[in-house]
Amino acid sequence: MAYQSPLLSRPGAVGAPEGHPDAGVPWHWGDPFAEQRTAVRGVAVVDRSHREVITVAGEERLSWLHLVISQHVSGLPADTGTEALVLDSQGRVDAHMVLGYTGDTVYLDTDPGAQATSALPKGGKQTLLGYLEAMKFWSKVDIQDATGDLAVLTLLGPDIPSVLDVELGRQPYAVAPLPGGGLARRMPWPGRHAVDLLVPRAELATWWERLTDAGARPAGSWAFEALRVESLRPRLGVDTDERTIPHEVNWIGSAAHVAKGCYRGQETVSKVHNVGRPPRNLVLLHLDGSPEIYPETGDPVLLGERQVGRLGTVAQHHELGPIALALVKRSTSAEAELMAGAEDRAVQAAIDPDSVPAESAAPGREAVQQFRG
C-alpha cells in the first residue's frame, strides 16, 4: 500500500499529482510561491516522511560502510554526516543517500524505493536494504530498516534557530541527537539554510505542531524541489538515467571519493577524474513561461533537430519562473538556443551560464603532459 503521510489530512494540505515522485506527502499548503519565499527569508518546514531510513550499528559500522559506499567514512567523526552513493560495476549511480552519525549508529536516509544492482552473478535490482544485507558477510554490523521508526522533516530558512532549540554545529552535515530520539543534520542545500530532522515517526504530528506553533510555515515538496533545482542538486531517478555517472551530476566530492578505492565502480570514478571528462553535464535551464504547458521529466533537450540532452526536474520558482535541471552533452554551448520538451509541450530553453561547470585539466592527463615535457 502506497505511503500516505498523516499530515495530508491537515487543513490546507494539497497532495501531489498521481505518479509524482513526492506522492504521499503534501505538495503545497495553498500558496507554493509564498512558501518558497518564507523558506528563503524566514523559516518553513517540509514533510519528507516518505523517505526511507536505514540504520547501521555494530563494532565495524564505519569500516564496513567504507567498503560498500562511494564516500570515505572509515574515519567519520561522531556528530557529523555526509552524502554517499552505491554504484554498479561500471560506475553508474544506483542509489544516493544522506548520512548522519551520532552515538553508535549511522543513519542513512534515501528516496522511497531505493534500489541497487545485486552483486550476485545473476545481477538484477534489489532493494537498497537487501543489497546492504547481502554485502554484510561476516562483518560485525547490525543493519535495520528504520523507516517505521523515524520520519524526515526539513527546516528551511535563516530563522531556523527560532524554532529549533538544538545545539548544532555550523559546518555542513553537522549532526546533533534530538531529545527523545532521532537527530538533526545541517545540510548545504537546498538554499543557504537547511536542517534535516529525523524524528520518531510516532511523534511526527507532534513535531510538526511544535515547529509550526513556534513560527515555521508549512511548506510542501513543491517549494523544496524548486529550491533544490535552483541549488543545482540532482535527485536520483529524476535528474539521472540508467547511464549517469557521479561526475555528470556534481556528486564527486560531495558523495563520491575519487581516491579511497575499495568500492564497486571506483575504477570508473578514478579514471574519469584523472584522465577523462564526463560525457554530459548537469545544468540549470530557464524555460519560456509564456505557454500554458510545461515539459516533463525525461523529455528531450533539442538543439535544432538534434537531441543534446535529457530533462530532469521541472519546477516553478518564486523568482526565476519555470526552471529545470537537465543532463546535456558536454559540448553544448551555454549560448545555444534550445528546445525542451516533447511534441506539444516543447518550449524554448536557455542554459544558465553560471551552472556550467568550469573546464579543468584532468590531473592524470596533465601529469602525462608534464612528463612528456
Side-chain angles (χ1 to χ4, degrees):
M1 184 176 179
Y3 174 74
Q4 289 286 305
S5 170
L7 300 179
L8 270 174
S9 62
R10 300 264 169 147
V14 177
E18 184 178 352
H20 194 279
D22 289 315
V25 294
W27 191 34
H28 63 83
W29 294 80
D31 193 340
F33 294 126
E35 293 164 26
Q36 288 180 51
R37 287 192 290 271
T38 302
V40 172
R41 303 168 188 170
V43 58
V45 58
V46 182
D47 177 7
R48 303 174 69 214
S49 59
H50 57 327
R51 286 180 67 78
E52 297 178 358
V53 182
I54 297 171
T55 59
V56 180
E59 180 182 335
E60 297 177 342
R61 56 190 176 274
L62 291 181
S63 58
W64 175 78
L65 268 175
H66 187 78
L67 296 176
V68 296
I69 62 176
S70 63
Q71 189 57 283
H72 197 302
V73 295
S74 60
L76 189 67
D79 294 329
T80 61
T82 187
E83 297 179 52
L85 310 171
V86 172
L87 308 179
D88 71 9
S89 59
Q90 304 301 312
R92 296 168 296 207
V93 181
D94 269 346
H96 171 262
M97 65 207 81
V98 190
L99 279 61
Y101 178 35
T102 188
D104 58 0
T105 302
V106 181
Y107 298 80
L108 298 78
D109 59 283
T110 185
D111 273 324
Q115 294 185 318
T117 304
S118 171
L120 297 176
K122 65 179 182 180
K125 294 288 187 179
Q126 59 186 144
T127 65
L128 177 59
L129 178 66
Y131 172 76
L132 295 176
E133 283 283 2
M135 298 299 292
K136 180 178 175 180
F137 300 109
W138 298 277
S139 300
K140 298 176 182 178
V141 293
D142 179 25
I143 307 164
Q144 297 290 333
D145 180 358
T147 307
D149 300 321
L150 294 168
V152 180
L153 298 173
T154 296
L155 289 167
L156 300 171
D159 294 341
I160 289 174
S162 68
V163 302
L164 183 66
D165 185 19
V166 174
E167 290 292 331
L168 189 59
R170 300 301 303 173
Q171 71 274 21
Y173 308 107
V175 170
L178 293 174
L183 60 85
R185 178 184 59 219
R186 190 175 301 282
M187 292 295 294
W189 60 272
R192 297 176 57 191
H193 308 277
V195 172
D196 289 338
L197 304 177
L198 275 65
V199 304
R201 187 168 290 275
E203 300 174 22
L204 175 63
T206 302
W207 268 95
W208 185 265
E209 291 171 1
R210 182 184 307 167
L211 294 168
T212 54
D213 287 350
R217 177 174 188 154
S221 61
W222 178 330
F224 183 93
E225 290 292 277
L227 298 179
R228 178 181 63 80
V229 171
E230 180 190 15
S231 300
L232 208 67
R233 296 286 182 156
R235 182 172 183 176
L236 189 71
V238 181
D239 303 303
T240 67
D241 57 21
E242 69 282 354
R243 298 182 293 119
T244 302
I245 60 175
H247 315 70
E248 297 179 315
V249 290
N250 306 323
W251 272 333
I252 293 298
S254 63
H257 198 278
V258 297
K260 83 177 182 80
C262 302
Y263 64 93
R264 188 173 68 175
Q266 185 271 339
E267 295 85 354
T268 297
V269 170
S270 180
K271 183 177 180 180
V272 174
H273 175 73
N274 284 298
V275 298
R277 294 187 177 93
R280 301 176 294 177
N281 289 326
L282 185 74
V283 298
L284 177 66
L285 295 183
H286 295 274
L287 306 177
D288 181 5
S290 55
E292 296 182 358
I293 56 171
Y294 293 99
E296 299 176 358
T297 297
D299 279 352
V301 178
L302 302 173
L303 177 58
E305 299 295 322
R306 181 167 59 95
Q307 181 170 345
V308 294
R310 172 197 180 275
L311 207 61
T313 307
V314 180
Q316 297 180 58
H317 190 276
H318 70 109
E319 289 183 339
L320 302 177
I323 55 177
L325 293 178
L327 273 172
V328 300
K329 291 183 178 180
R330 189 173 55 84
S331 59
T332 306
S333 169
E335 288 78 36
E337 297 181 0
L338 303 174
M339 295 292 292
E343 301 172 348
D344 61 349
R345 58 177 181 266
V347 299
Q348 291 182 316
I351 296 175
D352 188 317
D354 292 335
S355 71
V356 179
E359 288 282 357
S360 58
R365 184 176 298 175
E366 192 173 55
V368 170
Q369 291 174 345
Q370 291 177 351
F371 177 77
R372 290 174 176 174

